[in-house]
Amino acid sequence: MENLRRPRNIFYGWWLVGISSFMLMLMSTTVFQGVGTFFVALERTFGWNRTTLSGAFALSRAEGALLGPLEGLLVDKLGTRRMVIVGYLVMGLGFIFYSQIQTVWHFYVAYLAISLGSGVGGWIAFVTLINNWFSRRRALAMSVAVSGIQLGGFLVPMLAWGIENHDFRMTSLGIGVVLIVVAVPASSFVRNRPEDIGSLPDGEPLRRAVTATGDSTQSEATDETEMTPREALKTLAFWVIAVARLTSVVSIVTLSVHLVPKLTDSGISLITANFVVTLYTFVAFISGFIAGYLADRSSKTMVLFVCMLMQALAMAILTVTDGLPMAVVFAVLWGAGFGGRVPLLTAIVGDFFGRENFGSILGMNMVPSNIAMIFAPLFAGFMFDLRQSYFIPFATFTVMGFIGAFVILLARTPSAPQQKA
């Protein structure tokens, strides 16, 4: 046990941060950052319109809305280790099937399988793991782990090169094989909680077991209030975070599908468009570390406000401008905001509601945003097909982004629930 808790005097949680970052990088490149690139390839290969392509993403978000709370509950009950194995195997098989698609329905089935795998063993599983292992340094640890999403963006030009030179089928097949090959060895290093190796969050020595009394407990290790999902639902903080997440994620998910098509519509080549993605990814990578460091030493709420405000400003620039120079300006602002927003809006859930039911509470908190994510890219694709312009959907998401930035200012640590006698 000791060799796991203090390998070379490094807290084992930081090794798990590295594993989480690597696995999220693989998922991000293929399932999130690379969506627009795949969609351009499918549009060119099959001639499907953007409403049809966006429909697959909408169905995957419907799946996420329905299964998100269940996925969070399973992570809390079964642990990240088991969920990662299952999730990445399903993702890998989904990409192998994706390489063989011939009709739009084949495409939808393959995309739903990929989405299911990423939901089961991806985002919720790894952020729950990090939330379990860190308390005082949670924002920084979450930022480093989530930086895998940005690292995935650096691989998008390679993905585009593979699609351009070897078509999307061979590229998808290769991705599927890689995901299956890495699933088991990567998960073998995962330990679900620091208590499993005789430690407490942040590497503090284990003094005694933390036990539950009634529906909620006060953790000796972290002095954090532990809430049940039912208790969390009754707090204002839960709904403030849910609204902030919804109003900011609609632009994120829409651009994951439509940013590359919009840039190529402006006369920018596919490779250059993906370098714009790489630029905002690089800025987001740096921004995440800075935001996490500042949030652990000041107010997560205020750092979040600044990040979300920059994200909304970037969306406004993209809405009213075209061409590569303004795309670069967009990329810098978007990366700065997006890089901090993602980890901090997750870490704040752990700060407010604790470790014991984090996955379940996060899964429930994401339901409204998952429902919005069903319609956001579909709405953008439909309006483009109707008007040959993204102005209306992008302007709508800009306004929502500004609303979300100010809503997050209402976030306050909820009072500890009364324990049952």
Side-chain angles (χ1 to χ4, degrees):
M1 294 294 184
E2 185 68 20
N3 66 322
L4 285 179
R5 187 166 66 87
R6 295 182 182 277
R8 299 183 181 179
N9 297 319
I10 297 175
F11 175 46
Y12 194 67
W14 290 111
W15 294 96
L16 295 177
V17 166
I19 292 170
S20 300
S21 182
F22 174 75
M23 297 299 282
L24 288 174
M25 176 188 71
L26 293 181
M27 186 192 76
S28 171
T29 304
T30 56
V31 181
F32 179 66
Q33 303 274 26
V35 168
T37 305
F38 270 115
F39 277 19
V40 169
L42 294 176
E43 186 179 40
R44 292 175 178 177
T45 302
F46 297 104
W48 298 332
N49 63 36
R50 295 182 189 178
T51 305
T52 299
L53 292 168
S54 302
F57 199 91
L59 284 176
S60 73
R61 290 304 88 210
E63 178 184 71
L66 291 173
L67 299 181
L70 176 60
E71 291 164 357
L73 178 63
L74 289 174
V75 172
D76 286 337
K77 300 300 182 183
L78 300 179
T80 296
R81 185 173 186 170
R82 293 178 180 175
M83 299 296 283
V84 168
I85 295 174
V86 174
Y88 277 74
L89 288 176
V90 172
M91 264 195 290
L93 292 173
F95 270 106
I96 290 173
F97 182 66
Y98 194 94
S99 70
Q100 304 301 311
I101 62 174
Q102 298 293 338
T103 70
V104 69
W105 297 111
H106 293 159
F107 163 56
Y108 276 29
V109 171
Y111 200 83
L112 285 174
I114 293 167
S115 176
L116 175 63
S118 66
V120 167
W123 171 258
I124 292 181
F126 283 112
V127 297
T128 299
L129 180 70
I130 302 307
N131 187 73
N132 284 340
W133 278 80
F134 291 89
S135 176
R136 288 182 289 102
R137 307 185 73 180
R138 178 175 288 142
L140 179 60
M142 197 73 75
S143 296
V144 177
V146 172
S147 70
I149 293 177
Q150 281 76 53
L151 288 172
F154 295 132
L155 299 180
V156 171
M158 184 184 300
L159 177 67
W161 180 88
I163 292 174
E164 290 269 292
N165 291 276
H166 300 285
D167 77 34
F168 81 91
R169 296 189 187 278
M170 287 299 297
T171 304
S172 300
L173 180 62
I175 290 170
V177 171
V178 169
L179 292 175
I180 291 172
V181 167
V182 303
V184 175
S187 64
S188 68
F189 290 99
V190 171
R191 301 295 183 271
N192 294 318
R193 304 174 67 84
E195 290 85 352
D196 295 343
I197 62 168
S199 178
L200 288 174
D202 302 302
E204 296 294 327
L206 184 63
R207 295 183 294 276
R208 65 177 177 82
V210 179
T211 59
T213 303
D215 287 335
S216 61
T217 67
Q218 195 78 11
S219 166
E220 181 192 4
T222 64
D223 293 326
E224 290 177 338
T225 298
E226 297 289 349
M227 289 193 182
T228 65
R230 179 175 295 183
E231 290 167 345
L233 281 168
K234 296 177 181 179
T235 66
L236 175 63
F238 178 92
W239 295 105
V240 166
I241 295 170
V243 171
R245 187 185 303 278
L246 183 157
T247 52
S248 58
V249 82
V250 288
S251 57
I252 294 174
V253 72
T254 298
L255 293 190
S256 73
V257 179
H258 293 285
L259 176 59
V260 172
K262 182 191 189 301
L263 295 176
T264 54
D265 288 344
S266 302
I268 298 171
S269 71
L270 182 60
I271 297 295
T272 304
N274 277 285
F275 274 112
V276 172
V277 174
T278 302
L279 175 59
Y280 85 62
T281 299
F282 175 77
V283 176
F285 181 75
I286 302 300
S287 170
F289 292 121
I290 296 172
Y293 178 85
L294 293 175
D296 279 335
R297 289 159 176 78
S298 58
S299 166
K300 284 187 179 66
T301 300
M302 288 306 302
V303 179
L304 260 173
F305 168 72
V306 173
C307 291
M308 294 175 68
L309 192 63
M310 286 191 292
Q311 185 179 303
L313 286 170
M315 194 68 193
I317 290 171
L318 187 67
T319 300
V320 298
T321 63
D322 284 311
L324 186 58
M326 293 311 296
V328 171
V329 176
F330 154 80
V332 173
L333 266 179
W334 180 261
F338 170 72
R341 175 259 182 214
V342 174
L344 297 190
L345 203 56
T346 305
I348 202 171
V349 174
D351 285 358
F352 286 178
F353 306 113
R355 295 194 302 149
E356 295 299 320
N357 299 290
F358 174 83
S360 302
I361 294 171
L362 180 62
M364 292 191 309
N365 192 262
M366 292 172 65
V367 169
S369 57
N370 276 335
I371 293 173
M373 287 161 68
I374 297 171
F375 301 103
L378 193 62
F379 170 56
F382 173 77
M383 291 306 299
F384 179 86
D385 289 336
L386 184 66
R387 304 175 64 91
Q388 296 300 297
S389 170
Y390 284 114
F391 179 80
I392 291 177
F394 282 15
T396 301
F397 300 147
T398 296
V399 172
M400 293 178 69
F402 281 113
I403 291 172
F406 287 95
V407 164
I408 198 62
L409 292 175
L410 302 175
R412 297 289 186 275
T413 304
S415 302
Q418 295 294 322
Q419 295 185 2
K420 294 181 179 180

